[in-house]
PDB file of all heavy atoms in Angstrom:
ATOM      1  N   GLY A 192      13.339  32.945  30.066  1.00 89.00           N
ATOM      2  CA  GLY A 192      14.554  32.989  29.266  1.00 89.00           C
ATOM      3  C   GLY A 192      14.923  31.654  28.645  1.00 89.00           C
ATOM      4  O   GLY A 192      15.388  31.604  27.515  1.00 89.00           O
ATOM      5  N   ILE A 193      14.715  30.568  29.394  1.00 90.00           N
ATOM      6  CA  ILE A 193      15.213  29.281  28.903  1.00 90.00           C
ATOM      7  C   ILE A 193      14.156  28.602  28.048  1.00 90.00           C
ATOM      8  O   ILE A 193      13.013  28.442  28.476  1.00 90.00           O
ATOM      9  CB  ILE A 193      15.630  28.395  30.090  1.00 90.00           C
ATOM     10  CG1 ILE A 193      16.842  29.048  30.767  1.00 90.00           C
ATOM     11  CG2 ILE A 193      15.989  26.984  29.640  1.00 90.00           C
ATOM     12  CD1 ILE A 193      17.306  28.379  31.989  1.00 90.00           C
ATOM     13  N   PRO A 194      14.512  28.244  26.808  1.00 89.00           N
ATOM     14  CA  PRO A 194      13.510  27.645  25.918  1.00 89.00           C
ATOM     15  C   PRO A 194      13.043  26.274  26.413  1.00 89.00           C
ATOM     16  O   PRO A 194      13.759  25.598  27.163  1.00 89.00           O
ATOM     17  CB  PRO A 194      14.259  27.501  24.592  1.00 89.00           C
ATOM     18  CG  PRO A 194      15.574  28.154  24.763  1.00 89.00           C
ATOM     19  CD  PRO A 194      15.829  28.328  26.198  1.00 89.00           C
ATOM     20  N   GLU A 195      11.877  25.901  25.967  1.00 89.00           N
ATOM     21  CA  GLU A 195      11.264  24.664  26.455  1.00 89.00           C
ATOM     22  C   GLU A 195      12.071  23.425  26.078  1.00 89.00           C
ATOM     23  O   GLU A 195      12.104  22.448  26.805  1.00 89.00           O
ATOM     24  CB  GLU A 195       9.846  24.542  25.920  1.00 89.00           C
ATOM     25  CG  GLU A 195       9.182  23.271  26.420  1.00 89.00           C
ATOM     26  CD  GLU A 195       7.685  23.336  26.407  1.00 89.00           C
ATOM     27  OE1 GLU A 195       7.146  24.286  25.830  1.00 89.00           O
ATOM     28  OE2 GLU A 195       7.075  22.408  26.967  1.00 89.00           O
ATOM     29  N   TYR A 196      12.764  23.481  24.903  1.00 89.00           N
ATOM     30  CA  TYR A 196      13.510  22.283  24.526  1.00 89.00           C
ATOM     31  C   TYR A 196      14.684  22.027  25.464  1.00 89.00           C
ATOM     32  O   TYR A 196      15.197  20.928  25.527  1.00 89.00           O
ATOM     33  CB  TYR A 196      13.997  22.376  23.067  1.00 89.00           C
ATOM     34  CG  TYR A 196      15.003  23.481  22.795  1.00 89.00           C
ATOM     35  CD1 TYR A 196      16.363  23.242  23.002  1.00 89.00           C
ATOM     36  CD2 TYR A 196      14.611  24.735  22.360  1.00 89.00           C
ATOM     37  CE1 TYR A 196      17.296  24.244  22.785  1.00 89.00           C
ATOM     38  CE2 TYR A 196      15.532  25.734  22.128  1.00 89.00           C
ATOM     39  CZ  TYR A 196      16.873  25.489  22.346  1.00 89.00           C
ATOM     40  OH  TYR A 196      17.789  26.477  22.142  1.00 89.00           O
ATOM     41  N   ARG A 197      15.108  23.060  26.214  1.00 90.00           N
ATOM     42  CA  ARG A 197      16.180  22.830  27.179  1.00 90.00           C
ATOM     43  C   ARG A 197      15.651  22.488  28.563  1.00 90.00           C
ATOM     44  O   ARG A 197      16.320  21.801  29.330  1.00 90.00           O
ATOM     45  CB  ARG A 197      17.081  24.057  27.262  1.00 90.00           C
ATOM     46  CG  ARG A 197      18.212  24.006  26.247  1.00 90.00           C
ATOM     47  CD  ARG A 197      19.125  25.202  26.381  1.00 90.00           C
ATOM     48  NE  ARG A 197      19.740  25.273  27.691  1.00 90.00           N
ATOM     49  CZ  ARG A 197      20.206  26.403  28.221  1.00 90.00           C
ATOM     50  NH1 ARG A 197      20.120  27.521  27.572  1.00 90.00           N
ATOM     51  NH2 ARG A 197      20.769  26.383  29.396  1.00 90.00           N
ATOM     52  N   LEU A 198      14.487  23.003  28.897  1.00 91.00           N
ATOM     53  CA  LEU A 198      13.910  22.710  30.215  1.00 91.00           C
ATOM     54  C   LEU A 198      12.426  22.434  30.033  1.00 91.00           C
ATOM     55  O   LEU A 198      11.638  23.360  29.869  1.00 91.00           O
ATOM     56  CB  LEU A 198      14.135  23.906  31.157  1.00 91.00           C
ATOM     57  CG  LEU A 198      13.505  23.806  32.538  1.00 91.00           C
ATOM     58  CD1 LEU A 198      14.069  22.617  33.308  1.00 91.00           C
ATOM     59  CD2 LEU A 198      13.736  25.080  33.324  1.00 91.00           C
ATOM     60  N   PRO A 199      12.020  21.172  30.067  1.00 91.00           N
ATOM     61  CA  PRO A 199      10.605  20.866  29.879  1.00 91.00           C
ATOM     62  C   PRO A 199       9.757  21.568  30.935  1.00 91.00           C
ATOM     63  O   PRO A 199      10.121  21.597  32.106  1.00 91.00           O
ATOM     64  CB  PRO A 199      10.544  19.346  30.048  1.00 91.00           C
ATOM     65  CG  PRO A 199      11.925  18.867  29.879  1.00 91.00           C
ATOM     66  CD  PRO A 199      12.823  19.975  30.282  1.00 91.00           C
ATOM     67  N   ARG A 200       8.658  22.151  30.480  1.00 91.00           N
ATOM     68  CA  ARG A 200       7.860  22.946  31.402  1.00 91.00           C
ATOM     69  C   ARG A 200       7.189  22.124  32.488  1.00 91.00           C
ATOM     70  O   ARG A 200       6.913  22.625  33.569  1.00 91.00           O
ATOM     71  CB  ARG A 200       6.823  23.761  30.615  1.00 91.00           C
ATOM     72  CG  ARG A 200       7.452  24.894  29.823  1.00 91.00           C
ATOM     73  CD  ARG A 200       8.148  25.874  30.767  1.00 91.00           C
ATOM     74  NE  ARG A 200       8.814  26.959  30.033  1.00 91.00           N
ATOM     75  CZ  ARG A 200      10.125  27.026  29.823  1.00 91.00           C
ATOM     76  NH1 ARG A 200      10.916  26.087  30.280  1.00 91.00           N
ATOM     77  NH2 ARG A 200      10.659  28.036  29.180  1.00 91.00           N
ATOM     78  N   TYR A 201       6.950  20.819  32.234  1.00 91.00           N
ATOM     79  CA  TYR A 201       6.301  20.029  33.300  1.00 91.00           C
ATOM     80  C   TYR A 201       7.237  19.869  34.491  1.00 91.00           C
ATOM     81  O   TYR A 201       6.801  19.798  35.636  1.00 91.00           O
ATOM     82  CB  TYR A 201       5.812  18.674  32.760  1.00 91.00           C
ATOM     83  CG  TYR A 201       6.899  17.686  32.405  1.00 91.00           C
ATOM     84  CD1 TYR A 201       7.351  16.761  33.347  1.00 91.00           C
ATOM     85  CD2 TYR A 201       7.476  17.661  31.144  1.00 91.00           C
ATOM     86  CE1 TYR A 201       8.347  15.854  33.027  1.00 91.00           C
ATOM     87  CE2 TYR A 201       8.472  16.769  30.819  1.00 91.00           C
ATOM     88  CZ  TYR A 201       8.904  15.859  31.770  1.00 91.00           C
ATOM     89  OH  TYR A 201       9.898  14.974  31.466  1.00 91.00           O
ATOM     90  N   VAL A 202       8.553  19.837  34.222  1.00 91.00           N
ATOM     91  CA  VAL A 202       9.519  19.751  35.329  1.00 91.00           C
ATOM     92  C   VAL A 202       9.525  21.059  36.109  1.00 91.00           C
ATOM     93  O   VAL A 202       9.388  21.083  37.336  1.00 91.00           O
ATOM     94  CB  VAL A 202      10.930  19.443  34.787  1.00 91.00           C
ATOM     95  CG1 VAL A 202      11.958  19.522  35.893  1.00 91.00           C
ATOM     96  CG2 VAL A 202      10.968  18.088  34.127  1.00 91.00           C
ATOM     97  N   LEU A 203       9.646  22.157  35.368  1.00 92.00           N
ATOM     98  CA  LEU A 203       9.710  23.465  36.013  1.00 92.00           C
ATOM     99  C   LEU A 203       8.432  23.749  36.803  1.00 92.00           C
ATOM    100  O   LEU A 203       8.487  24.192  37.952  1.00 92.00           O
ATOM    101  CB  LEU A 203       9.930  24.541  34.940  1.00 92.00           C
ATOM    102  CG  LEU A 203       9.962  25.979  35.444  1.00 92.00           C
ATOM    103  CD1 LEU A 203      11.094  26.173  36.418  1.00 92.00           C
ATOM    104  CD2 LEU A 203      10.089  26.943  34.288  1.00 92.00           C
ATOM    105  N   ASN A 204       7.285  23.431  36.185  1.00 92.00           N
ATOM    106  CA  ASN A 204       6.030  23.747  36.872  1.00 92.00           C
ATOM    107  C   ASN A 204       5.861  22.941  38.145  1.00 92.00           C
ATOM    108  O   ASN A 204       5.359  23.450  39.147  1.00 92.00           O
ATOM    109  CB  ASN A 204       4.849  23.507  35.927  1.00 92.00           C
ATOM    110  CG  ASN A 204       4.850  24.520  34.801  1.00 92.00           C
ATOM    111  OD1 ASN A 204       5.460  25.586  34.930  1.00 92.00           O
ATOM    112  ND2 ASN A 204       4.201  24.187  33.687  1.00 92.00           N
ATOM    113  N   ARG A 205       6.289  21.675  38.110  1.00 92.00           N
ATOM    114  CA  ARG A 205       6.179  20.868  39.329  1.00 92.00           C
ATOM    115  C   ARG A 205       7.109  21.404  40.407  1.00 92.00           C
ATOM    116  O   ARG A 205       6.769  21.446  41.583  1.00 92.00           O
ATOM    117  CB  ARG A 205       6.494  19.401  39.026  1.00 92.00           C
ATOM    118  CG  ARG A 205       5.243  18.609  38.689  1.00 92.00           C
ATOM    119  CD  ARG A 205       5.542  17.516  37.730  1.00 92.00           C
ATOM    120  NE  ARG A 205       6.265  16.424  38.349  1.00 92.00           N
ATOM    121  CZ  ARG A 205       7.019  15.566  37.660  1.00 92.00           C
ATOM    122  NH1 ARG A 205       7.135  15.688  36.367  1.00 92.00           N
ATOM    123  NH2 ARG A 205       7.628  14.589  38.260  1.00 92.00           N
TER     124      ARG A 205
END
Side-chain angles (χ1 to χ4, degrees):
Chain A
I193 294 175
E195 180 157 10
Y196 65 86
R197 271 182 60 203
L198 176 61
R200 289 299 178 257
Y201 70 92
V202 173
L203 178 61
N204 292 339
R205 268 149 73 203

